Amino acid sequence: MMTEKQNAYIKSLMSKKEWAVTADLEFYANTYYTQVDKATASAIIEYLLSCDDKTAETVSDSKIINWFLMVDKKKKGKKMGEIADDAWKNKIFYNKQNINTVFTAKKEIMTDFYNKYNK
């Protein structure tokens, strides 16, 4: 039998990763997490570790920049106005002329902000 630690770790990875069904994973999922031996559990863990993270974003920089410009243009709309206000509160100051410079300096913050509103 797999260990309690392996079981908990697999459950955690399955909720955090994008995975494709394999025979081991199907067997694991259909046995209610109890009938898998330690070696199979280890193989499942190795497989899930190699899968993409569900939170990973592959959005291009230009898409994020264009989204910020769109938010700025639509300040009169309620949702966009709230987003623009939130951006200002988070000290993300930009305009059409300096957006690329600001994005280069604050890429991580702006990407997180984009992800917050586009999930």
Side-chain angles (χ1 to χ4, degrees):
M1 296 293 216
M2 84 171 96
T3 66
E4 187 75 31
K5 190 173 180 180
Q6 284 175 316
N7 184 16
Y9 193 47
I10 289 172
K11 284 181 185 177
S12 169
L13 289 174
M14 287 180 77
S15 69
K16 294 177 184 174
K17 299 279 187 162
E18 294 286 348
W19 47 271
V21 177
T22 64
D24 281 346
L25 200 53
E26 186 71 26
F27 177 73
Y28 171 78
N30 288 328
T31 55
Y32 304 101
Y33 314 116
T34 58
Q35 302 300 316
V36 176
D37 62 37
K38 288 180 184 178
T40 302
S42 292
I44 292 168
I45 290 169
E46 288 298 319
Y47 169 74
L48 287 171
L49 287 172
S50 72
C51 292
D52 291 335
D53 192 335
K54 282 184 181 178
T55 61
E57 292 293 330
T58 55
V59 178
S60 69
D61 292 353
S62 61
K63 184 171 184 172
I64 296 170
I65 289 169
N66 288 332
W67 180 81
F68 271 95
L69 291 173
M70 179 188 71
V71 165
D72 197 46
K73 286 180 184 176
K74 296 187 177 179
K75 284 184 182 175
K76 292 178 184 174
K78 185 175 182 198
K79 171 105 172 139
M80 290 300 181
E82 290 171 6
I83 294 170
D85 289 345
D86 196 14
W88 279 87
K89 286 176 189 171
N90 284 288
K91 299 185 175 147
I92 304 173
F93 308 115
Y94 63 93
N95 58 42
K96 189 175 181 180
Q97 288 73 32
N98 75 355
I99 186 76
N100 289 316
T101 307
V102 172
F103 184 76
T104 301
K106 298 185 175 195
K107 181 176 181 172
E108 187 175 329
I109 294 167
M110 291 175 84
T111 301
D112 290 344
F113 193 83
Y114 171 88
N115 290 335
K116 173 182 170 184
Y117 283 100
N118 289 284
K119 290 257 179 201

